[in-house]
Amino acid sequence: MTDQPVPLSAAPAGMRVTRPRLRRMALRAGLYAMLAGFAAFYLLPLFVMVTTSLKGLEEIQSGSLVALPREITFEAWSKAWSGTCTGIQCEGLRPFFWNSVAMAVPAVILSTLIGALNGYALSHWRFRGSNILFGAILFGCFLPFQVVLMPMARVLGLLGLAGSIPGLVLVHVVYGLGFTTLFFRNFYVTVPGELVRAAKIDGAGFFRIFASIFLPLSLPIVTVTVIWQFTNVWNDFLFGVSFSQAGSQPVTVALNNIVNSTTGVKEYNVDMAAAIIAGLPTLGVYVLAGKYFIRGLTAGAVKG
Amino acid sequence: MLSWLERQIPKIILAPTFAAVTVFVYGFIAWTAWISLTKSRLLPNYDFAGLIQYRRLFDNPRWDMAMGNLMVFGLLFILLSMVLGLWLAILLDQQIRAEGLIRTIYLYPMALSMIVTGTAWKWMLNPGLGLESLVQRWGFDGFRFDWLVDPDRAIYAIVIAAVWQASGFVMALFLAGLRSVDGEIIKAAQVDGIPDWRIYASIILPSMAPVFMSAFIVLAHLAIKSFDLVVAMTGGGPGYATDLPATYMYAMAFSRGDLGQAASSAMVMMMVIFAIVVPYLYSELRAKHD
């Protein structure tokens, strides 16, 4: 993939004389209008979420969906963070947000670490059956998790991890390994084998070669993998709702409980504030490191 | 030379992953497959009972509904995401100023959880206070946009939110594809005075067939696994109007206590995914060997 844009509209100047300048300008204007229209379509939900979260309930009931708040209030935000009810508890999203942090951080670190070693071993220390093993790991990337939900629930119970955050960490590490291994393997495969062979002849072992040749090269792929894993683990709902209990739920499950609770007055402003809070970490990662986010997305897409 | 132990290190490193994949992927598939062939209800029962669960599944109108919804949802979701994503990629490929910013705006939904997306769209599609009332306020009193609570239309409301979330990603795939087309051929075509639209239709798009294929695979995979968005927007309702195989499976496993049905529906989901993915992977791998 090259970043060189194909210069379609920058054709040799002589070829364009035939097309009247006015028409060309109208075409450009139409093009930008269309791009702006689509940008509005993608931004509208975010805009509505933010403005709704800053309004009072009364203003929501009486005002327009897309109007800016007449009076900005952060009440909904503080309620969403520390006061609203998620089922029986009424402590807001805060404890669940930290549950998600406690789940995502170890799960991301462990699956990235194991994926790096796996990818290294599979790309430069091949043995009989290592390709079959790689295929078997890859296959897991396509698995619809519904197939493993019930046996996983039983195994977590047997391990004494049912309804716990360490249990969720285990689940996310196990089912994240396919992608992390794939990412690292495909990256390390591009390192010349001669380099590794020369190091072996000099007497360097598995870990020595990893630390002195591969690790220094790994920053880009580590970034891609960490972002990919973090986004997936943070945004997961299926595992969270299947394997957690009242106290150990991740933020996505708590958000859904807030929004889809049937009791009491619907506080749309609190719902929206809660949704933004739950989305902020991954959105922040995307804004800060969008390039790596897209790279993970497309790499994961093309191969799995 | 390396000692025996040193030579075993790669295998030792891979051993835990090997064990985990064997148990948590293949072992679990085998367990679910076996349960789908038994009369298990609340508790697993390991006595073989043939295809009784699959017969129950295909006789169940709720499953019919879920599969029908998956067809409608999947086809519309894939088609609309591809058309929109391709169109956006072509628009962005016209040497746009601030391309990076616009790309960022089109793609950010992909960073959000489906639950967040569902929450936002549920609010906007809420007939009383959302887009419907907005347009009515503008003076179109008769305007109706209550798809979310209409059993016949609710599935389309979910399609809207899903397309909003995934189309930017398809755009990114297509944009990368457009940019990897050989620039020389395009220049030659331009020198020959061939109009831009024909260059796209006859040269660029046909050479992007593999990108279409991978976009299709990813979207189909997303569609079949769709769960969170439905839970957040409709909870499968009104009634069972927006039930999908994934919500059916979840209901059977965790609220109905019908392990046999949960297992057989999960197996059907897996087979549908593999029916799409395995031929693709096979052709990919073969292409690399040739």
Side-chain angles (χ1 to χ4, degrees):
Chain A
M1 173 169 91
T2 66
D3 279 330
Q4 300 274 307
V6 176
L8 257 197
S9 40
M15 300 310 303
R16 292 296 166 126
V17 195
T18 45
R19 182 183 277 183
R21 257 189 81 198
L22 204 67
R23 207 185 129 203
R24 231 188 114 189
M25 275 172 67
L27 267 178
R28 289 305 275 182
L31 174 66
Y32 278 100
M34 235 185 301
L35 286 168
F38 282 116
F41 167 66
Y42 287 103
L43 285 174
L44 181 68
L46 187 65
F47 172 80
V48 168
M49 272 184 358
V50 173
T51 52
T52 305
S53 76
L54 296 172
K55 291 176 187 171
L57 258 192
E58 235 171 86
E59 197 184 329
I60 291 174
Q61 303 284 358
S62 63
S64 148
L65 181 72
V66 294
L68 288 168
R70 277 193 300 272
E71 216 178 301
I72 290 183
T73 160
F74 290 96
E75 245 166 72
W77 281 75
S78 81
K79 189 163 184 196
W81 179 243
S82 58
T84 192
C85 298
T86 52
I88 340 158
Q89 269 177 299
C90 290
E91 299 167 34
L93 269 191
R94 184 171 48 189
F96 305 100
F97 188 92
W98 294 121
N99 281 347
S100 274
V101 173
M103 169 183 85
V105 171
V108 170
I109 293 175
L110 283 174
S111 57
T112 305
L113 220 64
I114 302 173
L117 287 171
N118 283 350
Y120 167 57
L122 286 170
S123 55
H124 287 279
W125 295 81
R126 292 193 190 154
F127 48 87
R128 252 169 56 123
S130 67
N131 274 334
I132 295 173
L133 176 60
F134 180 55
I137 295 172
L138 262 194
F139 192 72
C141 295
F142 291 102
L143 193 69
F145 293 135
Q146 279 74 16
V147 181
V148 299
L149 281 187
M150 292 181 294
M152 194 71 202
R154 299 182 77 77
V155 167
L156 287 177
L158 288 176
L159 296 172
L161 293 173
S164 74
I165 291 171
L168 283 173
V169 172
L170 174 73
V171 175
H172 282 297
V173 170
V174 166
Y175 296 110
L177 277 180
F179 275 109
T180 58
T181 302
L182 171 72
F183 284 174
F184 279 101
R185 188 248 176 213
N186 285 356
F187 183 78
Y188 287 153
V189 136
T190 59
V191 175
E194 291 81 40
L195 222 59
V196 178
R197 248 165 278 144
K200 279 184 199 170
I201 290 165
D202 287 346
F206 183 88
F207 291 105
R208 182 75 197 285
I209 295 174
F210 182 67
S212 54
I213 298 178
F214 287 83
L215 219 48
L217 300 170
S218 299
L219 188 62
I221 195 65
V222 169
T223 315
V224 168
T225 310
V226 165
I227 290 177
W228 167 271
Q229 272 299 88
F230 178 74
T231 313
N232 276 329
V233 175
W234 187 274
N235 288 341
D236 163 72
F237 177 74
L238 182 62
F239 287 145
V241 76
S242 304
F243 303 136
S244 65
Q245 296 169 347
S248 63
Q249 285 157 337
V251 72
T252 46
V253 177
L255 171 64
N256 184 56
N257 287 346
I258 293 173
V259 175
N260 287 318
S261 76
T262 41
T263 50
V265 188
K266 278 266 34 87
E267 295 178 294
Y268 296 108
N269 48 0
V270 176
D271 290 357
M272 291 306 121
I276 299 170
I277 291 171
L280 264 184
T282 49
L283 209 53
V285 166
Y286 171 66
V287 171
L288 291 177
K291 191 176 88 179
Y292 295 99
F293 177 82
I294 296 166
R295 213 181 280 174
L297 220 50
T298 43
V302 176
K303 296 285 154 43
Chain B
M1 275 316 281
L2 302 171
S3 72
W4 181 85
L5 188 69
E6 285 246 29
R7 270 182 283 128
Q8 300 309 310
I9 288 181
K11 289 183 195 168
I12 296 170
I13 289 289
L14 285 165
T17 303
F18 175 70
V21 168
T22 306
V23 174
F24 292 97
V25 176
Y26 297 95
F28 282 8
I29 293 175
W31 190 90
T32 304
W34 184 254
I35 291 297
S36 79
L37 299 173
T38 68
K39 288 185 177 169
S40 301
R41 283 283 176 134
L42 198 56
L43 290 171
N45 160 347
Y46 296 102
D47 298 331
F48 182 76
L51 294 173
I52 184 169
Q53 295 295 351
Y54 293 92
R55 229 169 280 139
R56 279 180 69 209
L57 189 67
F58 294 125
D59 283 344
N60 187 339
R62 186 174 169 190
W63 175 255
D64 269 356
M65 185 80 154
M67 286 302 267
N69 279 337
L70 178 61
M71 288 295 286
V72 172
F73 172 80
L75 285 177
L76 282 175
F77 167 67
I78 295 172
L79 193 72
L80 292 175
S81 298
M82 294 257 249
V83 168
L84 188 58
L86 179 61
W87 182 236
L88 292 175
I90 292 177
L91 289 184
L92 272 180
D93 196 33
Q94 309 304 315
Q95 299 204 312
I96 294 303
R97 243 176 268 174
E99 186 200 307
L101 174 72
I102 299 175
R103 230 177 23 203
T104 306
I105 293 172
Y106 291 173
L107 193 64
Y108 85 91
M110 202 64 196
L112 294 176
S113 148
M114 288 281 188
I115 300 290
V116 174
T117 299
T119 303
W121 280 95
K122 186 184 186 184
W123 164 232
M124 297 215 308
L125 297 177
N126 166 338
L129 296 164
L131 291 171
E132 182 183 276
S133 86
L134 178 71
V135 177
Q136 286 171 355
R137 275 161 175 281
W138 287 343
F140 304 92
D141 288 330
F143 181 77
R144 308 282 292 163
F145 191 34
D146 52 1
W147 292 5
L148 205 53
V149 293
D150 178 346
D152 294 330
R153 302 242 166 87
I155 194 76
Y156 303 116
I158 294 172
V159 170
I160 295 177
V163 170
W164 178 81
Q165 171 125 18
S167 47
F169 161 63
V170 182
M171 171 214 73
L173 272 185
F174 279 134
L175 197 58
L178 287 175
R179 302 254 154 110
S180 60
V181 175
D182 185 2
E184 290 301 315
I185 301 174
I186 295 167
K187 256 182 228 156
Q190 283 172 334
V191 170
D192 285 347
I194 296 169
D196 284 355
W197 68 268
R198 281 237 27 207
I199 296 180
Y200 274 108
S202 316
I203 302 175
I204 301 180
L205 296 186
S207 74
M208 277 171 50
V211 185
F212 279 92
M213 201 58 214
S214 41
F216 172 78
I217 294 286
V218 176
L219 291 171
H221 195 232
L222 278 178
I224 295 165
K225 296 205 299 185
S226 281
F227 173 70
D228 332 16
L229 196 57
V230 173
V231 171
M233 286 180 75
T234 63
Y240 297 133
T242 51
D243 230 3
L244 287 179
T247 54
Y248 179 93
M249 185 274 159
Y250 186 83
M252 291 301 157
F254 293 97
S255 48
R256 291 289 194 85
D258 195 335
L259 293 188
Q261 280 297 285
S264 57
S265 56
M267 291 308 289
V268 172
M269 288 178 66
M270 189 179 82
M271 287 182 261
V272 173
I273 287 189
F274 287 159
I276 295 173
V277 166
V278 169
Y280 166 73
L281 274 188
Y282 184 72
S283 67
E284 280 279 285
L285 292 177
R286 262 181 56 132
K288 260 170 215 156
H289 279 292
D290 288 347

